[in-house]
């Protein structure tokens, strides 16, 4: 596994948000435990705000969480709290921790794409990096 990214967004425990910039991409790792859907949405809002402050429109988010993705009512609460405006004006590539978790995130991707947003879920970091950097 790669070494942790050098910067940490403080104040989001039990989630640890590590980040770095790589040319024109904000690379983010989510580690720890999700907590509530509302708390996890606030973590995504913090990344959105960081990208805005850095004037970066491409985000590569990597799931290294210890627990399972939200499903059912928790996923709906997460999406409602997250809000589509989180993704507006940015291209977000999200790398699932493992290929077997990709399916758990597909409904989220479909919701975002139905709203006209550039959000994609990947099981491979290399595919996610290619898409976030070069897709038109």
């Amino acid at each position: 596994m790669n070494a942790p990214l050098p910067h940490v967004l403080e104040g989001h425990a039990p989630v640890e948000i590590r980040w770095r910039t790589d040319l024109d991409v904000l690379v983010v790792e989510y580690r720890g435990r999700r907590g509530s859907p509302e708390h996890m949405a606030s973590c995504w809002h913090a990344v959105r705000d960081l990208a805005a402050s850095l004037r970066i429109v491409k985000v590569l988010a990597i799931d290294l969480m210890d627990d399972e993705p939200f499903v059912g009512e928790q996923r709906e609460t997460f999406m409602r709290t997250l809000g589509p405006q989180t993704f507006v004006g940015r291209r977000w590539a999200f790398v699932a921790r493992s290929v077997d978790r990709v399916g758990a995130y597909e409904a989220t991707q479909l919701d975002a794409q139905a709203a006209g947003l550039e959000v994609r879920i990947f099981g491979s970091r290399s595919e996610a990096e290619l898409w976030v950097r070069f897709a038109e």
Side-chain angles (χ1 to χ4, degrees):
M1 181 172 0
N2 295 335
L5 301 180
H7 306 286
V8 177
L9 281 175
E10 300 293 338
H12 298 284
V15 177
E16 180 181 63
I17 305 169
R18 292 190 163 270
W19 67 276
R20 69 177 165 83
T21 57
D22 185 357
L23 300 174
D24 62 344
V25 176
L26 174 61
V27 181
V28 178
E29 293 176 347
Y30 292 99
R31 298 170 174 265
R33 299 190 61 76
R34 286 174 174 75
S36 70
E38 295 85 0
H39 177 72
M40 196 66 209
S42 75
C43 293
W44 281 75
H45 291 155
V47 170
R48 173 202 60 202
D49 295 346
L50 175 62
S53 73
L54 297 170
R55 296 185 176 161
I56 292 178
V57 297
K58 298 174 183 177
V59 179
L60 174 63
I62 303 161
D63 174 12
L64 296 174
M65 301 297 283
D66 297 327
D67 53 359
E68 295 299 316
F70 296 129
V71 295
E73 188 175 310
Q74 284 189 315
R75 188 192 78 80
E76 291 171 14
T77 300
F78 171 72
M79 290 303 294
R80 186 173 50 255
T81 307
L82 187 63
Q85 70 279 2
T86 299
F87 302 107
V88 170
R90 289 197 169 67
R91 177 180 295 159
W92 289 74
F94 185 79
V95 182
R97 183 173 184 129
S98 61
V99 173
D100 62 319
R101 286 189 180 188
V102 170
Y105 295 114
E106 285 179 337
T108 302
Q109 174 180 301
L110 292 173
D111 288 348
Q113 289 175 339
L117 305 170
E118 285 192 279
V119 177
R120 292 252 337 247
I121 308 301
F122 295 88
S124 159
R125 182 174 175 161
S126 59
E127 287 179 21
E129 287 189 65
L130 285 172
W131 179 81
V132 79
R133 288 183 192 281
F134 303 114
E136 291 299 323

